[in-house]
Amino acid sequence: MAATLPVPIEFRLPEGWLPARPEGFDAEGVAFAAVHPQPDAGFAANITIDGGFPKDGVTLEEIADASVERLRAFAGSVVVEHRREVGSQESPALTQRLAFSAGADGGDVRDLVQSQVYLVFVDTGDPHKRAMVRLALTATAAQHDSVLEDFQEFVRSVRPDSGAGG
């Protein structure tokens, strides 16, 4: 069952990407997933969205560290290749790039790269209330750079849902 996000958002999938069917995607806590139409060596690059409400005083770096530890639980060695705080005081964000190897269904081990973006949405009525949304791109090491621009396009399209929809 898909998780729900702590704050409604709207976004636009890059051209060609397809929403993943829940039964075809196994990721606990994921609110939304999409897959690239051209798998690399049997692995479909994917974009996932999840989130939650960070406890008071918890930094984005601590949240990102916890994400690395969760990934280590099934991937073993995880290397943080890059991490940077971006955004502003009012709208903090963090990006990180992780490299790891994981076993596939057939027992083959694949070298994967995951780019993560953590966005914080602060309640305008109560600045002490924060919601965090994590956007992640996971792809084979060979395909990652070729789908990264799509992911960056996707990240730029994410914004709080105004509820004005049509």
Side-chain angles (χ1 to χ4, degrees), residues 9-139:
I9 62 171
E10 54 187 46
F11 55 85
R12 190 177 59 257
L13 280 178
E15 188 174 329
W17 287 74
L18 306 167
R21 292 188 313 274
E23 66 275 7
F25 200 85
D26 182 29
E28 187 177 326
V30 170
F32 179 82
V35 294
H36 191 269
Q38 297 171 333
D40 175 48
F43 183 87
N46 60 78
I47 293 172
T48 57
I49 306 172
D50 62 34
F53 293 101
K55 293 183 175 151
D56 283 343
V58 173
T59 67
L60 281 177
E61 189 168 300
E62 290 169 324
I63 293 169
D65 286 342
S67 180
V68 170
E69 291 309 311
R70 280 191 304 278
L71 194 53
R72 281 190 177 126
F74 81 89
S77 176
V78 177
V79 176
V80 179
E81 293 185 335
H82 173 81
R83 180 182 285 174
R84 184 172 65 142
E85 289 191 38
V86 295
S88 64
Q89 179 89 11
E90 300 78 34
S91 186
L94 181 139
T95 65
Q96 72 177 1
R97 180 174 166 150
L98 311 174
F100 60 99
S101 296
D105 291 338
D108 295 333
V109 175
R110 291 194 174 97
D111 292 331
L112 301 174
V113 175
Q114 186 173 84
S115 290
Q116 300 177 337
V117 177
Y118 294 83
L119 304 173
V120 174
F121 297 93
V122 179
D123 187 321
T124 54
D126 181 357
H128 295 291
K129 286 185 179 176
R130 304 179 305 153
M132 183 276 305
V133 173
R134 179 177 63 164
L135 314 169
L137 166 69
T138 307

